[in-house]
Amino acid sequence: MLTYLLHSLENYGIAVPHLFFYTTFKMLMSAIFSFVLTVSVGKLFIAKLVSLKVGHKVRVSECAALADKYDKSSMIPSMGGVLFIFSMVVSSFLWMDSSAPFALLFSFVLVGTGAIGFIDDYLKIRGHEKGISARTKFLLQVLVSGIAISYLHSEAIYEMVNGVLSFSSAEIKGMGVEGSFPFFMKYIYLPFSKSPIIFSSSILMFLFSLLVVIGTSNAVNLTDGLDGLATGCMLLVVSVFAIVAFISNHVFVADYLNILYIEGAGEIAIFLSSMLGGLLGFLWFNSYPAQVFMGDTGSLAIGATIALAAVMLRREFLLALTGGVFVVETLSVILQVFSFRFFGRRIFSCAPIHHHFEIKGLHESKIVIRFWMIGLVLALLGLMSLKVQ
């Protein structure tokens, strides 16, 4: 919106500093604005949630050992995801180019999946322990994610976004994808690998993208169990992808690093910067001891949104690497369920795995900080993979 207004001022002959049109400047301002807005309204927002008795409900039926630990958490409000979703939408609206094809798509997925989580949180608060049924939640996620991914595979995005690979025209012809549409959506890049994997089937590519978005959304939801755990880990992942998006928007840098150049990816970087600021502001209140939890409202939304960015940038496996904490948390739940169902035994004292360490006697804050450390190492490996390929 600000970009549009500034261009309008220039049309009227009013000089506008070119600094306001630089992607780096808009990224920084988007992050700062989102952070300040979140912290500024956070206290009033939390007080309102407390007055509405929007308490955090923890399901301990699968692990009785957690019952005593989480009696206190029922007094802490949930639905905190509304806070940073609001800040992200406002900040991105101000600093992104409203005409960019990515702008509304990100907002649609963020708000859409956040709404699913909001309904789930609301039902839990009103006494429905399980919230939305697993099947209904999954179908709603498929609907929102499917619409977004269908748009990415459509002619509209192909006409507005020019995907140019760091290969010569002859090499592209040799890959058999020239003229396919949109051809850049057929590529998947592996960390530390120079050559991409090519999907010849658009249906398989669509299903894979859908799996990434829904899987990541639920993985973040599973990780959100300790004060600041999911928020801090997601901050690291978002930082990496903001950098990747910025690089992907510069043809010469992208060519030097042998990564995909995507025209307009700078707008993705600006949006992710707004997420970075919003999550950092939320961590102000969510760090130990937490004053508010993001709930399904926030966890489903940020998981789906960062996954959408990974799909757009063709870096789904980089997401798996940098978000390794979320992958391990999800695998711990899958292994626990599989082992108990088929062998009648539990592998962990409680799943997800952060609760296992909690029951073993590690303090909550120590678990969180150690997971953050692991997340930081994985984020650095992710950045290193851009050069070592």
Side-chain angles (χ1 to χ4, degrees):
M1 176 57 69
L2 286 178
T3 301
Y4 174 78
L5 292 175
L6 292 174
H7 278 303
S8 298
L9 290 176
E10 284 192 325
N11 291 336
Y12 283 103
I14 301 174
V16 177
H18 284 283
L19 175 68
F20 287 94
F21 299 109
Y22 293 158
T23 301
T24 47
F25 179 79
K26 291 193 286 186
M27 287 173 65
L28 291 171
M29 290 305 299
S30 180
I32 293 170
F33 184 90
S34 185
F35 170 77
V36 172
L37 182 59
T38 304
V39 173
S40 299
V41 304
K43 192 172 181 179
L44 291 174
F45 176 76
I46 294 170
K48 183 63 176 178
L49 290 179
V50 171
S51 69
L52 294 173
K53 298 181 180 180
V54 184
H56 178 62
K57 302 292 183 182
V58 178
R59 291 176 60 190
V60 296
S61 55
E62 296 87 351
C63 191
L66 292 176
D68 293 335
K69 283 180 173 290
Y70 287 99
D71 279 346
K72 61 180 178 64
S73 68
S74 63
M75 303 301 294
I76 302 173
S78 185
M79 291 188 178
V82 173
L83 176 59
F84 59 76
I85 289 175
F86 167 74
S87 299
M88 288 169 59
V89 170
V90 173
S91 182
S92 58
F93 176 76
L94 287 175
W95 295 102
M96 287 182 74
D97 182 354
S98 57
S99 64
F102 299 140
L104 290 178
L105 190 62
F106 269 112
S107 297
F108 169 74
V109 171
L110 179 71
V111 175
T113 52
I116 297 170
F118 182 87
I119 296 170
D120 193 48
D121 286 336
Y122 180 81
L123 290 176
K124 290 174 183 176
I125 291 165
R126 289 293 175 260
H128 300 274
E129 184 183 0
K130 296 184 178 181
I132 303 176
S133 68
R135 178 178 297 180
T136 302
K137 183 187 290 186
F138 176 74
L139 291 175
L140 289 172
Q141 287 178 304
V142 169
L143 176 63
V144 174
S145 304
I147 292 173
I149 295 168
S150 296
Y151 180 70
L152 285 179
H153 286 260
S154 70
E155 184 174 359
I157 197 75
Y158 182 68
E159 289 175 348
M160 288 186 282
V161 181
N162 179 30
V164 181
L165 298 172
S166 297
F167 300 120
S168 67
S169 297
E171 288 175 315
I172 293 176
K173 288 180 181 178
M175 292 176 182
V177 296
E178 187 182 41
S180 62
F181 145 101
F183 72 82
F184 75 96
M185 287 302 297
K186 292 183 177 292
Y187 289 78
I188 295 179
Y189 284 79
L190 299 176
F192 302 102
S193 177
K194 180 178 180 179
S195 300
I197 298 174
I198 305 171
F199 272 70
S200 58
S201 171
S202 297
I203 295 176
L204 285 178
M205 190 68 249
F206 175 86
L207 293 175
F208 176 73
S209 300
L210 193 65
L211 175 65
V212 170
V213 175
I214 295 175
T216 305
S217 182
N218 288 300
V220 177
N221 182 238
L222 290 172
T223 307
D224 182 34
L226 298 179
D227 297 0
L229 177 58
T231 310
C233 290
M234 184 54 69
L235 275 169
L236 297 167
V237 178
V238 173
S239 299
V240 171
F241 274 87
I243 294 171
V244 173
F246 176 76
I247 293 172
S248 299
N249 193 51
H250 290 74
V251 63
F252 296 112
V253 180
D255 182 70
Y256 172 71
L257 293 175
N258 193 43
I259 67 174
L260 184 67
Y261 163 70
I262 302 176
E263 185 179 335
E267 300 302 319
I268 301 177
I270 295 169
F271 187 89
L272 293 179
S273 296
S274 72
M275 181 187 288
L276 186 67
L279 288 175
L280 190 62
F282 183 73
L283 191 60
W284 185 285
F285 305 103
N286 183 234
S287 57
Y288 183 85
Q291 299 170 257
V292 65
F293 296 112
M294 69 170 69
D296 286 19
T297 306
S299 58
L300 293 180
I302 60 174
T305 305
I306 192 63
L308 181 66
V311 169
M312 285 180 167
L313 297 169
R314 317 311 307 128
R315 292 286 171 176
E316 294 90 341
F317 285 95
L318 179 63
L319 177 61
L321 173 61
T322 57
V325 170
F326 302 110
V327 174
V328 171
E329 292 272 29
T330 305
L331 287 176
S332 70
V333 174
I334 294 172
L335 291 173
Q336 184 86 322
V337 172
F338 179 84
S339 178
F340 187 76
R341 178 169 296 180
F342 290 96
F343 302 106
R345 299 179 58 184
R346 290 183 171 87
I347 300 174
F348 307 103
S349 301
C350 187
I353 198 171
H354 58 258
H355 287 318
H356 170 80
F357 293 121
E358 198 175 12
I359 290 174
K360 291 298 182 181
L362 281 178
H363 191 273
E364 181 174 346
S365 60
K366 185 174 287 292
I367 298 170
V368 171
I369 291 174
R370 286 181 177 177
F371 274 46
W372 285 356
M373 291 177 181
I374 295 170
L376 177 59
V377 172
L378 293 174
L380 293 174
L381 281 173
L383 289 175
M384 186 173 70
S385 72
L386 299 177
K387 178 60 178 176
V388 185
Q389 58 179 15

